[in-house]
Amino acid sequence: MTGQSIDAARLLGRIRTLGEIGQDADGRLIRLAASDTEKLGRDRFVAWIEGAGLQVAVDRIGNIFGIWKPDSVTDNAPLMLGSHIDTVIGAGIYDGCYGTLSGLEVIETLRAEGLTPSRPIVVAAFTNEEGVRYAPDMMGSLVYAGGLDVDTALATIGTDGTILGDELERIGYAGEHQPGFPRPHAYIELHIEQGPVLEREGIRLGAVEHLQGISWQKVVITGDANHAGTTPISMRRDAGHAAARVVTFLRDRAQASNTPTVATVGCMRFEPDVINVIPSRATFTVDLRDPDEERLREEEAALATLLDRLSAEEQVGVSVERLARFEPVKFDQNIVRLIEEAARERGLACRRMTSGAGHDAQMIARIAPSAMIFVPSIGGISHNPKEYTDDEDLVAGANILLDVVRRLATEGLPA
Amino acid sequence: MTGQSIDAARLLGRIRTLGEIGQDADGRLIRLAASDTEKLGRDRFVAWIEGAGLQVAVDRIGNIFGIWKPDSVTDNAPLMLGSHIDTVIGAGIYDGCYGTLSGLEVIETLRAEGLTPSRPIVVAAFTNEEGVRYAPDMMGSLVYAGGLDVDTALATIGTDGTILGDELERIGYAGEHQPGFPRPHAYIELHIEQGPVLEREGIRLGAVEHLQGISWQKVVITGDANHAGTTPISMRRDAGHAAARVVTFLRDRAQASNTPTVATVGCMRFEPDVINVIPSRATFTVDLRDPDEERLREEEAALATLLDRLSAEEQVGVSVERLARFEPVKFDQNIVRLIEEAARERGLACRRMTSGAGHDAQMIARIAPSAMIFVPSIGGISHNPKEYTDDEDLVAGANILLDVVRRLATEGLPA
């Protein structure tokens, strides 16, 4: 199915151009959702869409669509490609932008090829994927998929006290369309991995078949603050020790299993935090992720059982607060297979994988068959100016997207 | 050897009176070394010494001595009893004051009995035992024992910017005597346990035969801050996990041994301390204590071996800083036996024990046979307004001190 390839210089040039929009005086890239700098990025993207001869549409939550709808179209449900162009504070230039600009690049390439698609092809830039200025993250795609009411979303108050709806009006991106327009036939998102797996394994492409479910909990363990010198080990109620047991338990369990389960204790605080006082309180977070919902529940249950046991054996108090919970997403197997086929035809090593991070694709998967393509992130670094992917890999990923879209645009998804 | 007993009402009354000196507007007891409030406490103590007909002497570091030197004396080296009257911030009323006032009480009782001692009996209140305002702690007894030059100690700058020597001059307690005068024949310190052992075991008295050695270390473990979702367990360099391994290792090791070894991780900090980021840095403290120097070295070596192993297996960086190190102190076995005998004669349960906290006795032990007597601390609580010992136990402890001193004052230490 391989035809010609995308225009590498055009794609790479656009990634760099967009990456310069929103740099502050210290060279930090900051293009927060619906900010002045993001408006400049949106304007640049819209100009490229128009320059490619596509129709521009913006919906009420500010999602931008570049639509190619040739007369040949027999089915109005579009193939949708995309991602986002908002960033975190001190971002890299690839996260989101790579997938968005590659979507546009693929459409331009297919038009130039003279392809006759049986359905429209649309590139989307979803609003506020990062969630830094307005919570929750992945907001534009969540609203688009019907998971959050648009008026509620527009009323969101930002960390800077602004209201999202007002800011979208102000920057000229409060569109007319109702979210959900146009409802896609399928959705494909190309993205950097943001993890180390592809680079470490020397594989060029990931066919993403799952997106991990996430369970975030905050645990507080309480014991007795006693003198470190005068309190025998057997008489201690050491909250810090009990917290450490949780950390080693989670690690041992994840390591012993053959599953992609990951468990992380990222935050930890001891009180009173004094060298010669046994900790009376330990507060920590547990981040559990698994692509399988049943297994994620098992991990949560194992943690709960451990906490019960510690409470009894160590005579400590335990309280648990759920901070966040998202079920895993299974992407469309047909699209995943098309990605693998495309990689094989171009002679590129490809592996199936799980996305450990959240993406717009997980929201769109609620309303349309979806999947993702990953390319390597050097050192697994992301949300950081050091975020980097080789040009060759960027081009390879965009060509795989091109091949898959060409096939879907003519043949559609297998029934 | 039991004669009459101490005047319980007088001793308890003085403990309460001294405990009211230095309370702030919120009722917190704060009598920091060489402060205005400590001057009031010193003045009160000196007035009681003078009221008892004893001679008052103050040395250059501000240690106060109440000296009973009857004409009968055949040996000038005194029996010394004592402790300190400075406090921490928000102190209880017993720590230090109990031993100091009991020393005075014992001398007054023996005088009233008409005892003819063969040597002087001296009660001492050592300067700056707590070390809150000026470092190091146990300063007065350390200088007295020749472990720190008096001029160096007097030049110490406090947390409030004051100079200890100036403050002692200001409050009228910069004495003339050189520290080390008078050099004791033996030293006995009566103190609250500041730990839970006696209360939990229902034992009234502790004959303290050791004072633990202390090893304080600060450990920094460095790994990689990576995404909690996208980084497989096998590719992590998790500084927080490695730190937790140290905590559980120390606990398991102390618990499995039959020794009085205690190990405490009181301080713990993760960086960047973000829920979905693997910790790149964990900073924590290790407090190891043991009454046996060889065993304390073994514990330190075991920790070092573990850190080496973690560094290799978990590919983390490890750096260790020694914060403090004191060798264990062995108290005088003859005095310990006299304490046990006195308890037996009064029908009081007594156990040999180790002091987990530091005391002036550990300094005086450098220059004279020394030991300590402990009475129960309810809940093991100390350095806290909730510090509490039953009156009955306070009186019992002072009577044991009385009996031991009576015997030593006439018979001297066994050769």
Side-chain angles (χ1 to χ4, degrees):
Chain A
M1 69 188 179
T2 306
Q4 65 181 83
S5 293
I6 57 107
D7 181 337
R10 181 169 59 191
L11 172 63
L12 297 173
R14 283 176 179 169
I15 291 172
R16 280 159 188 65
T17 299
L18 186 54
E20 282 166 12
I21 296 175
Q23 286 193 358
D24 71 4
D26 300 327
R28 290 197 311 168
L29 177 56
I30 309 177
R31 215 161 53 222
L32 300 185
S35 66
D36 289 339
T37 54
E38 204 222 11
K39 171 187 166 48
L40 297 177
R42 286 169 174 265
D43 289 350
R44 182 68 263 166
F45 181 55
V46 165
W48 282 326
I49 294 173
E50 289 172 338
L54 309 187
Q55 179 193 338
V56 175
V58 178
D59 68 11
R60 291 185 59 210
I61 195 66
N63 297 323
I64 300 170
F65 303 96
I67 304 170
W68 177 33
K69 187 177 176 182
D71 297 339
S72 59
V73 157
T74 54
D75 184 337
N76 276 321
L79 275 184
M80 188 176 283
L81 325 174
S83 193
H84 61 96
I85 64 169
D86 69 312
T87 74
V88 296
I89 295 167
I93 67 172
Y94 303 100
D95 181 357
C97 300
Y98 170 51
T100 311
L101 297 175
S102 293
L104 175 60
E105 180 60 40
V106 161
I107 295 175
E108 288 194 75
T109 303
L110 293 175
R111 285 193 79 187
E113 272 182 30
L115 183 82
T116 306
S118 59
R119 58 182 69 254
I121 308 181
V122 173
V123 57
F126 292 106
T127 295
N128 188 33
E129 194 270 349
E130 296 292 3
V132 174
R133 193 180 183 201
Y134 303 98
D137 54 1
M138 297 171 277
M139 184 189 276
S141 49
L142 178 64
V143 168
Y144 182 85
L148 176 63
D149 172 68
V150 63
D151 292 308
T152 305
L154 289 172
T156 305
I157 296 170
T159 51
D160 53 0
T162 57
I163 297 167
L164 174 57
D166 293 351
E167 287 289 279
L168 285 171
E169 285 281 356
R170 189 178 66 78
I171 66 168
Y173 282 89
E176 298 289 320
H177 292 285
Q178 287 300 324
F181 153 91
R183 187 184 185 92
H185 172 69
Y187 175 80
I188 312 174
E189 183 166 353
L190 174 63
H191 208 283
I192 57 167
E193 181 194 341
Q194 300 183 277
V197 175
L198 292 174
E199 186 206 4
R200 296 267 180 104
E201 298 188 355
I203 291 174
R204 305 283 297 279
L205 288 161
V208 185
E209 57 177 351
H210 301 286
L211 191 137
Q212 290 175 328
I214 298 181
S215 165
W216 279 2
Q217 295 175 77
K218 180 172 124 180
V219 182
V220 179
I221 297 186
T222 48
D224 278 338
N226 269 320
H227 192 295
T230 61
T231 314
I233 296 293
S234 62
M235 293 185 185
R236 297 180 174 210
R237 295 174 63 234
D238 184 336
H241 161 250
R245 287 272 170 228
V246 177
V247 177
T248 57
F249 170 86
L250 291 172
R251 171 62 167 254
D252 289 342
R253 191 174 160 86
Q255 202 142 336
S257 84
N258 284 320
T259 68
T261 307
V262 284
T264 306
V265 174
C267 300
M268 175 68 76
R269 197 171 68 241
F270 281 11
E271 291 168 72
D273 204 36
V274 173
I275 187 169
N276 59 349
V277 178
I278 297 160
S280 59
R281 195 180 175 89
T283 304
F284 59 97
T285 56
V286 177
D287 173 321
L288 293 170
R289 306 197 191 199
D290 203 295
D292 183 82
E293 173 64 17
E294 195 180 331
R295 219 160 43 214
L296 188 54
R297 285 190 198 158
E298 280 169 19
E299 295 307 311
E300 290 175 321
L303 172 60
T305 302
L306 173 72
L307 290 172
D308 283 348
R309 188 159 64 73
L310 284 173
S311 174
E313 289 178 4
E314 303 290 329
Q315 296 186 274
V316 290
V318 174
S319 80
V320 178
E321 182 188 346
R322 171 155 287 186
L323 300 179
R325 183 65 162 81
F326 298 104
E327 286 198 13
V329 174
K330 278 200 177 180
F331 288 129
D332 186 80
Q333 284 297 308
N334 287 314
I335 303 178
V336 170
R337 271 192 292 271
L338 289 179
I339 293 165
E340 290 179 311
E341 279 177 41
R344 196 160 45 242
E345 288 177 20
R346 284 192 183 259
L348 298 170
C350 177
R351 63 164 279 174
R352 293 198 174 206
M353 62 193 303
T354 294
S355 173
H359 294 289
D360 290 311
Q362 79 192 73
M363 299 307 175
I364 307 304
R366 299 178 177 207
I367 55 167
S370 302
M372 297 187 72
I373 305 167
F374 277 176
V375 294
S377 293
I378 302 303
I381 297 166
S382 186
H383 286 188
N384 188 306
K386 290 182 189 158
E387 178 181 280
Y388 184 74
T389 298
D390 283 339
D391 286 352
E392 205 183 346
D393 289 334
L394 293 170
V395 171
N399 278 325
I400 297 302
L401 182 66
L402 174 74
D403 296 346
V404 173
V405 170
R406 185 189 294 110
R407 183 132 162 206
L408 284 174
T410 47
E411 300 174 19
L413 270 177
Chain B
M1 68 187 179
T2 306
Q4 65 182 82
S5 293
I6 58 107
D7 182 337
R10 182 170 59 190
L11 173 62
L12 298 173
R14 282 177 181 169
I15 291 173
R16 279 158 187 66
T17 299
L18 187 53
E20 281 166 13
I21 296 174
Q23 285 193 357
D24 71 3
D26 299 329
R28 291 196 310 168
L29 178 55
I30 309 177
R31 214 162 54 224
L32 300 185
S35 66
D36 288 339
T37 54
E38 204 222 9
K39 171 188 166 47
L40 297 177
R42 286 169 175 263
D43 289 350
R44 184 67 265 167
F45 180 55
V46 165
W48 282 325
I49 293 173
E50 289 173 337
L54 310 187
Q55 178 194 336
V56 176
V58 179
D59 69 10
R60 292 184 58 209
I61 195 65
N63 298 322
I64 299 170
F65 303 96
I67 303 171
W68 178 34
K69 188 177 174 181
D71 296 337
S72 59
V73 157
T74 54
D75 185 337
N76 277 318
L79 275 184
M80 189 176 282
L81 324 173
S83 194
H84 61 96
I85 63 169
D86 69 312
T87 74
V88 298
I89 296 167
I93 67 171
Y94 304 99
D95 181 357
C97 301
Y98 170 52
T100 310
L101 296 175
S102 294
L104 177 60
E105 180 60 39
V106 161
I107 296 175
E108 288 194 74
T109 303
L110 293 176
R111 285 193 78 189
E113 274 181 29
L115 183 83
T116 304
S118 59
R119 58 182 69 255
I121 309 182
V122 173
V123 57
F126 292 106
T127 295
N128 188 34
E129 194 271 348
E130 296 291 3
V132 173
R133 193 179 184 202
Y134 302 99
D137 54 1
M138 297 172 277
M139 185 189 277
S141 50
L142 178 63
V143 169
Y144 182 85
L148 176 63
D149 173 68
V150 64
D151 292 307
T152 306
L154 290 172
T156 305
I157 296 168
T159 53
D160 53 2
T162 57
I163 296 168
L164 175 57
D166 294 351
E167 286 290 280
L168 285 171
E169 285 282 356
R170 190 177 66 79
I171 66 168
Y173 282 89
E176 298 290 319
H177 292 285
Q178 287 300 324
F181 152 90
R183 186 183 184 92
H185 172 69
Y187 175 80
I188 313 174
E189 183 165 353
L190 174 62
H191 208 284
I192 57 168
E193 182 194 339
Q194 301 183 277
V197 174
L198 292 175
E199 186 206 3
R200 298 268 178 104
E201 297 188 356
I203 292 176
R204 304 283 296 279
L205 288 160
V208 185
E209 58 177 350
H210 301 286
L211 190 138
Q212 291 176 329
I214 298 182
S215 164
W216 279 1
Q217 295 175 79
K218 181 172 126 180
V219 182
V220 179
I221 296 185
T222 48
D224 277 338
N226 269 320
H227 192 295
T230 60
T231 314
I233 297 292
S234 62
M235 292 184 187
R236 297 179 174 213
R237 295 174 62 233
D238 184 336
H241 160 251
R245 286 273 170 226
V246 177
V247 177
T248 57
F249 169 85
L250 292 173
R251 171 63 165 255
D252 290 342
R253 190 173 162 87
Q255 201 142 336
S257 84
N258 284 320
T259 68
T261 307
V262 284
T264 306
V265 174
C267 301
M268 176 67 77
R269 198 171 69 240
F270 281 13
E271 291 169 72
D273 203 36
V274 172
I275 188 168
N276 60 349
V277 177
I278 297 160
S280 59
R281 194 179 175 90
T283 305
F284 59 98
T285 56
V286 177
D287 174 320
L288 293 171
R289 305 197 191 200
D290 203 294
D292 183 82
E293 173 65 16
E294 196 179 332
R295 219 159 44 214
L296 189 54
R297 284 192 199 155
E298 279 169 19
E299 295 307 309
E300 291 176 321
L303 172 61
T305 302
L306 172 72
L307 290 172
D308 283 348
R309 188 160 62 74
L310 284 173
S311 175
E313 288 178 5
E314 303 291 328
Q315 295 187 275
V316 290
V318 174
S319 79
V320 177
E321 183 188 346
R322 172 156 286 186
L323 300 179
R325 182 66 161 79
F326 299 105
E327 286 199 12
V329 173
K330 277 200 178 182
F331 288 130
D332 185 80
Q333 285 295 308
N334 288 312
I335 305 178
V336 169
R337 271 193 293 270
L338 289 179
I339 294 166
E340 289 179 311
E341 279 177 41
R344 195 159 47 241
E345 288 177 21
R346 285 194 183 255
L348 298 170
C350 176
R351 63 163 280 175
R352 293 199 173 205
M353 62 194 302
T354 294
S355 173
H359 294 290
D360 291 310
Q362 80 191 73
M363 299 308 174
I364 308 303
R366 299 178 177 206
I367 55 166
S370 302
M372 297 187 73
I373 304 168
F374 276 175
V375 294
S377 294
I378 303 302
I381 297 167
S382 185
H383 285 188
N384 188 307
K386 291 183 189 157
E387 179 179 280
Y388 184 74
T389 298
D390 283 338
D391 285 352
E392 205 182 347
D393 289 334
L394 292 171
V395 172
N399 279 325
I400 297 303
L401 182 66
L402 174 74
D403 297 346
V404 173
V405 170
R406 187 188 294 111
R407 183 134 163 206
L408 285 173
T410 48
E411 301 173 19
L413 272 176

